[in-house]
Amino acid sequence: MASDKDPETFKQPDPDGVAASVASPASAVSAPPQPGLLTPLPVILRWAILLGLSFAISGGLFLAHIPGALLLGPMVAAILVATNGARLSVHRYPYIFAHSLIGCIIARSIDLGTLSTVADDWPIFLSVVLSIIAASSLLGYFMAKAEILPGTTAIWGTSAGAASAMVLMAEAHGGDPRLVAFMQYLRVAFVATGASLMAAFVFNIEGGAAQPVVWFPETDWLDLGLTLAAAIAAASVGAWLRIPAGTMLLPLIATTILHVTGYIALLLPEWLLALGYGVIGWRIGLSFTRRILRHAASALPQIVGSILVLMAFGGGLAFLLWSLHGIDPLTAYLATSPGGLDSIAIIAATTPVDMSFIMALQTMRLILIILIGPTISDFVARRVAKG
């Protein structure tokens, strides 16, 4: 679980079996490991410090209602220890397991009701989703063209898809998952905050009480075992076949089919999701260096600008849905907000909106960007290289 290497290039074992080596944006030359405050400490103590920091930061973010707190907390903690000489790394098998859980989380949001809503209004949904994907891809193209971020990193970072899924797919397709995570979760925070402010101040909606999180609910262990067995089996096939992001995509496909057809109930207790998010957060955070942080800070104005442009574009689409199709303005705004699905679902659940319409459009956007994201990324990367 631990390593004494702290390279300036991102070279961790690829869970999909695809070798990845993404150079640091500050330098393509590997620098010798630099000792830090934590370097002299025993490995077990370094892990204990990382675990304690992860609990503390996650708890603070969770109490502050920050979206993605269970992933951001471990990631921030891992960045802190990594840039202070911890020299730790996450083994590929826990990482593959965390991949499979992300696939199950996405599959859980898909049911017959959502599919029925999509089938009824598919022309509207498809046009809106493709517009959002096109806008985010165009932003990524301009950022890559301007060399604000290296390679396909800008393309994945601006992609209006599920943040955690985009981080995993970026790693499998040659992007820098550290910078992609930075961009994606900054976008999630901006979108969630913007949606809450729009509901409260623009539409004068008072949110209902947030549903308390039950960390250790009563669990049907048979259903949980079947869910995990299907997810792990599919992830193993994805790793064996070396399909890019297959350790997430195959569990997503397998558990969606089994869930929709009624063969399994997708039970994912919060404590299990916290473990999966923690592993992914550690994997990303432990690969950070001080050079990467400096580069992310230098690109912050452009990144924030791209997020605001994408949010404004989503607002324009919401205006069209309201004026042309008579859809409730807040419903339209939440449906066209560029992620993340979980934070939008929480806001929608505590406001008087059409929940099925919102979740159907958000789910369709998520599925399409996962399916066509690699193709778009490759196309845009070729155009940038040709230019």
Side-chain angles (χ1 to χ4, degrees), residues 193-258:
T193 303
S196 298
L197 293 176
M198 289 289 288
F201 297 107
V202 177
F203 297 103
N204 298 317
I205 300 295
E206 294 184 1
Q211 188 173 0
V213 175
V214 180
W215 293 103
F216 298 96
E218 293 186 10
T219 303
D220 187 323
W221 294 103
L222 177 59
D223 281 339
L224 178 59
L226 291 174
T227 298
L228 295 181
I232 293 172
S236 301
V237 172
W240 180 61
L241 295 177
R242 300 193 176 191
I243 300 172
T247 50
M248 181 195 69
L249 292 178
L250 291 191
L252 165 60
I253 295 170
T255 54
T256 296
I257 294 173
L258 293 173

Side-chain angles (χ1 to χ4, degrees), residues 308-339:
L308 295 178
V309 169
L310 194 58
M311 290 175 62
F313 184 80
L317 291 176
F319 176 80
L320 291 177
L321 287 177
W322 168 66
S323 60
L324 298 179
H325 299 282
I327 295 171
D328 169 64
L330 183 55
T331 296
Y333 182 80
L334 293 177
T336 57
S337 292

Side-chain angles (χ1 to χ4, degrees), residues 1-2 38 40-52 86 88:
M1 295 286 289
L38 302 179
L41 300 179
V43 171
I44 187 68
L45 184 55
R46 287 181 251 162
W47 278 110
I49 292 172
L50 174 59
L51 184 62
L88 303 172

Side-chain angles (χ1 to χ4, degrees), residues 70-369:
L70 298 181
L71 187 144
L72 288 177
M75 187 175 76
V76 171
I79 292 172
L80 291 175
V81 301
T83 53
N84 283 280
R87 299 179 181 176
L88 303 172
S89 63
V90 175
H91 196 275
R92 71 190 297 264
Y93 293 121
Y95 195 45
I96 290 175
F97 176 70
H99 274 210
S100 67
L101 286 182
I102 296 298
C104 292
I105 293 169
I106 299 171
R108 187 174 60 175
S109 66
I110 303 171
D111 55 26
L112 291 176
T114 301
L115 296 177
S116 175
T117 302
V118 171
D120 292 340
D121 297 312
W122 71 266
I124 297 175
F125 287 177
L126 186 60
S127 59
V128 169
V129 169
L130 290 180
S131 298
I132 294 174
I133 293 174
S136 64
S137 300
L138 192 61
L139 284 171
Y141 170 79
F142 286 133
M143 294 183 72
K145 190 76 172 176
E147 298 183 350
I148 296 170
L149 295 168
T152 60
T153 299
I155 301 165
W156 291 107
T158 56
S159 179
S164 54
M166 290 303 102
V167 172
L168 302 183
M169 295 182 73
E171 180 182 359
H173 291 273
D176 188 329
R178 299 163 293 195
L179 292 174
V180 172
F182 177 80
M183 296 177 67
Q184 285 286 340
Y185 283 97
L186 189 63
R187 174 180 57 82
V188 169
F190 267 73
V191 170
T193 303
S196 298
L197 293 176
M198 289 289 288
F201 297 107
V202 177
F203 297 103
N204 298 317
I205 300 295
E206 294 184 1
Q211 188 173 0
V213 175
V214 180
W215 293 103
F216 298 96
E218 293 186 10
T219 303
D220 187 323
W221 294 103
L222 177 59
D223 281 339
L224 178 59
L226 291 174
T227 298
L228 295 181
I232 293 172
S236 301
V237 172
W240 180 61
L241 295 177
R242 300 193 176 191
I243 300 172
T247 50
M248 181 195 69
L249 292 178
L250 291 191
L252 165 60
I253 295 170
T255 54
T256 296
I257 294 173
L258 293 173
H259 171 54
V260 170
T261 54
Y263 286 101
I264 64 172
L266 284 177
L267 291 182
L268 299 168
E270 290 297 326
W271 61 265
L272 182 62
L273 297 183
L275 288 176
Y277 284 137
V279 168
I280 294 174
W282 284 353
R283 170 80 172 207
I284 298 167
L286 289 174
S287 65
F288 266 83
T289 65
R290 293 181 182 181
R291 292 185 184 185
I292 289 289
L293 289 179
R294 285 195 296 267
H295 188 78
S298 67
L300 184 61
Q302 295 92 328
I303 293 172
V304 171
S306 69
I307 292 171
L308 295 178
V309 169
L310 194 58
M311 290 175 62
F313 184 80
L317 291 176
F319 176 80
L320 291 177
L321 287 177
W322 168 66
S323 60
L324 298 179
H325 299 282
I327 295 171
D328 169 64
L330 183 55
T331 296
Y333 182 80
L334 293 177
T336 57
S337 292
L341 187 146
D342 52 353
S343 55
I344 294 298
I346 292 171
I347 296 169
T350 57
T351 52
V353 293
D354 187 343
M355 184 72 170
S356 62
F357 183 90
I358 293 171
M359 294 310 297
L361 201 153
Q362 289 281 348
T363 302
M364 186 175 185
R365 174 180 58 82
L366 183 149
I367 293 172
L368 276 181
I369 196 62

Side-chain angles (χ1 to χ4, degrees), residues 20-32:
S21 176
V22 181
S24 164
S27 172
V29 180
S30 179

